[in-house]
Amino acid sequence: MQCRQCGTEIADKAIVCFRCGASTTDPVRKAVPIKKGRPWLLVVVVVALLLVALYLWMFSRTAANAELPELAAGVALGAAAVVLLIGLARRR
Ligand SMILES: [Zn+2]
């Protein structure tokens, strides 16, 4: 195929032109369109869950029966991680 930038004949499987460096395909990362969703909501939820986890963890340090708050802290922490991952995956 031909480089669409400089017209040099390059291999069909080439990702970039060896001469001018132009990519042979459209850039994978296109300009990210402004989402109409609520990106701040994700941050708020994650921060809130992290705060809950922190609070429960601190509470479990002083509580006589630390198992339950520790478990809840773990669940909140896990939920924060899941929300964050889902949010990040959706952005792509
Ligand atoms: Zn080229």
Side-chain angles (χ1 to χ4, degrees), residues 3-8 17-22:
C3 170
R4 56 183 181 175
Q5 188 76 31
C6 65
T8 305
C17 170
F18 65 88
R19 197 164 185 188
C20 70

